[in-house]
Amino acid sequence: MDAYSSTSKKTSLMQIIPVMLCFFAMGFVDLVGTASNYVKQDLNLTDAQANLFPSLVFFWFLIFSVPTGVLMNKIGRKKTVLLSLVVTAVSLIIPITGNGYMTMLAAFSLLGIGNAIMQTSLNPLVTNLISGDKLASTLTFGQFVKAIASFLAPIIAAWGATTYLPTFGLSWKVLFVIYAIICFLSISLLGATPIQEEKQDKASGIIASLKLLGRPFILLCFLGIMCHVGIDVGTNTTAPKIIMERVGLPLEEAIFATSVYFIFRTIGCFLGAFILRFVPAKSFFAISIIMMLAAMIMLYACDSLLSLYIGIGMIGFGNSNVFPIIFSQALIAAPKEKNEVSGLMIMGLFGGTVFPLAMGFAADAIGQIGAVAVMTIGVAYLLYYTLKIKKINA
């Protein structure tokens, strides 16, 4: 056991807390959905103009993820995370200074860039603190912390828009102020926290990183991430439409289906952080995917509101732990290229653009059952991936 592995529990806790606060900052990207609705209202935008904001987020994941993996080899993981926090802080300050369309486009672009850098570098940084069979559960707990920030964003924005307390004329934009303060706190705490990093990966370029997809298991993990995110974004966008089509509820009531998904995904992240400490990752992953497959069958066959909510909740719970398990599998499968592999896995978040697009065409052709069919293909792939999961030794 090396000197780093024998670090005291107190020191480990002092390192984990700033890192978990960074996971909270990672969740700031999900405010784009809430903010875009308010910006649309403030600037009288069309749906197409407003929808450009969330689309930008996934675009920057495609562009910046792999280069960030290369950057980590040069400056280290902690410095890369700090860079991502600085970019995120700037993105949160910009909307406070103005309200023009181009101003908001710049803000959300920087938010997407900062988050792409953060998601690529923060997960490998955790491997400097946690290893072996505890890695998946720690990454899952990080996703739970991230989900808290995502869950709070619409609540804070609504409070800012309706509160009688002084918000200095910012209204819903008080959300940016609060999250910017937390972001600066994250920068301060992480910057002051000593983290002994592993020896930097061998120098590599973007092409060399992409060549890692030539390794069968890394490619399987990449496609798994694409399916996970595609199902995630697809459920968020399609669940209300299914409720409207099957039950006939108006959008104002059907939109609660999205909240059901987020609630159960958050619960799943929280419980998964503990379950994965006692249950093998392969077994828990299999249970999660079978749960999602059963949920897809319910979305095909059921017409009652309760049964549809149960199915949507099962997808949320089942999909909540897919990302950290696949991510940890990929990192451990390529211990000498963790930075590059992290970039590739985060690039897989582009599945959040691919799946909804395919689901939209399918829904236009045969109704929302077509969208469910596209998601089912993703679940089927994850079921196949279950057979390939490797045992992780502590």
Side-chain angles (χ1 to χ4, degrees):
M1 180 179 292
D2 59 28
Y4 180 71
S5 299
S6 61
T7 310
S8 68
K9 291 183 179 180
K10 181 178 179 181
T11 302
S12 297
L13 181 62
M14 295 305 293
Q15 292 171 323
I16 285 293
I17 290 176
V19 169
M20 286 301 148
L21 190 58
C22 291
F23 271 102
F24 188 86
M26 186 190 291
F28 294 172
V29 72
D30 290 330
L31 66 80
V32 67
T34 298
S36 61
N37 289 323
Y38 283 103
V39 174
K40 177 186 177 183
Q41 177 178 285
D42 291 349
L43 302 181
N44 295 316
L45 302 178
T46 64
D47 284 331
Q49 290 173 319
N51 287 345
L52 183 58
F53 297 131
S55 297
L56 279 173
V57 173
F58 291 105
F59 175 75
W60 296 120
F61 278 110
L62 179 66
I63 300 299
F64 276 88
S65 299
V66 172
T68 298
V70 177
L71 177 65
M72 281 192 288
N73 287 336
K74 297 182 179 180
I75 67 174
R77 295 165 186 169
K78 176 181 170 181
K79 289 182 179 178
T80 307
V81 174
L82 287 171
L83 173 63
S84 72
L85 289 168
V86 170
V87 175
T88 300
V90 173
S91 74
L92 295 170
I93 293 173
I94 289 177
I96 303 172
T97 64
N99 200 39
Y101 185 65
M102 296 307 297
T103 298
M104 300 308 293
L105 279 179
F108 287 127
S109 291
L110 286 175
L111 184 62
I113 292 171
N115 201 260
I117 298 173
M118 191 183 307
Q119 295 221 36
T120 304
S121 56
L122 184 56
N123 291 294
L125 183 64
V126 174
T127 66
N128 294 122
L129 305 176
I130 306 293
S131 61
D133 59 352
K134 300 298 187 292
L135 179 58
S137 64
T138 303
L139 293 179
T140 294
F141 188 75
Q143 291 297 309
F144 166 69
V145 174
K146 173 181 177 290
I148 295 175
S150 305
F151 183 74
L152 288 177
I155 297 175
I156 296 174
W159 168 79
T162 59
T163 183
Y164 292 104
L165 297 177
T167 56
F168 306 100
L170 292 172
S171 184
W172 66 273
K173 286 187 178 181
V174 71
L175 169 65
F176 290 102
V177 176
I178 294 174
Y179 276 6
I181 292 173
I182 297 175
C183 197
F184 281 116
L185 178 61
S186 299
I187 294 172
S188 301
L189 290 180
L190 183 63
T193 302
I195 298 179
Q196 182 179 339
E197 297 189 34
E198 302 166 354
K199 183 179 179 181
Q200 295 302 314
D201 299 346
K202 63 182 184 295
S204 62
I206 295 176
I207 300 300
S209 297
L210 291 174
K211 284 184 177 179
L212 290 174
L213 290 175
R215 300 184 185 180
F217 187 69
I218 299 300
L219 178 60
L220 286 173
C221 292
F222 174 79
L223 295 175
I225 293 291
M226 285 196 69
C227 291
H228 155 70
V229 179
I231 294 168
D232 182 68
V233 178
T235 304
N236 290 337
T237 57
T238 303
K241 298 175 184 177
I242 294 175
I243 299 295
M244 294 168 66
E245 182 180 85
R246 303 278 180 82
V247 186
L249 292 181
L251 177 60
E252 293 76 15
E253 296 180 35
I255 200 68
F256 180 68
T258 300
S259 298
V260 170
Y261 176 80
F262 274 114
I263 290 170
F264 279 89
R265 194 184 71 171
T266 302
I267 294 173
C269 286
F270 178 75
L271 294 179
F274 299 99
I275 295 173
L276 282 167
R277 289 185 175 272
F278 305 101
V279 177
K282 186 169 186 175
S283 299
F284 188 54
F285 193 90
I287 294 171
S288 298
I289 304 308
I290 291 173
M291 181 182 295
M292 283 202 289
L293 185 60
M296 292 298 167
I297 295 174
M298 293 180 68
L299 294 187
Y300 277 119
C302 297
D303 292 318
S304 70
L305 183 61
L306 178 60
S307 58
L308 290 172
Y309 277 158
I310 292 174
I312 293 166
M314 288 170 63
I315 297 174
F317 190 92
N319 205 28
S320 59
N321 298 286
V322 170
F323 177 84
I325 292 176
I326 294 179
F327 200 99
S328 61
Q329 285 276 312
L331 291 180
I332 293 173
K336 295 183 179 179
E337 298 95 5
K338 288 181 180 178
N339 294 344
E340 293 89 339
V341 168
S342 178
L344 290 174
M345 294 304 107
I346 299 303
M347 188 174 73
L349 297 183
F350 189 64
T353 296
V354 176
F355 266 69
L357 183 62
M359 290 167 65
F361 284 117
D364 287 340
I366 59 176
Q368 296 305 320
I369 195 171
V372 175
V374 173
M375 289 195 292
T376 304
I377 294 174
V379 175
Y381 176 83
L382 293 174
L383 190 61
Y384 167 74
Y385 177 85
T386 304
L387 303 175
K388 304 297 181 179
I389 292 180
K390 303 175 181 179
K391 181 179 180 180
I392 299 176
N393 296 317

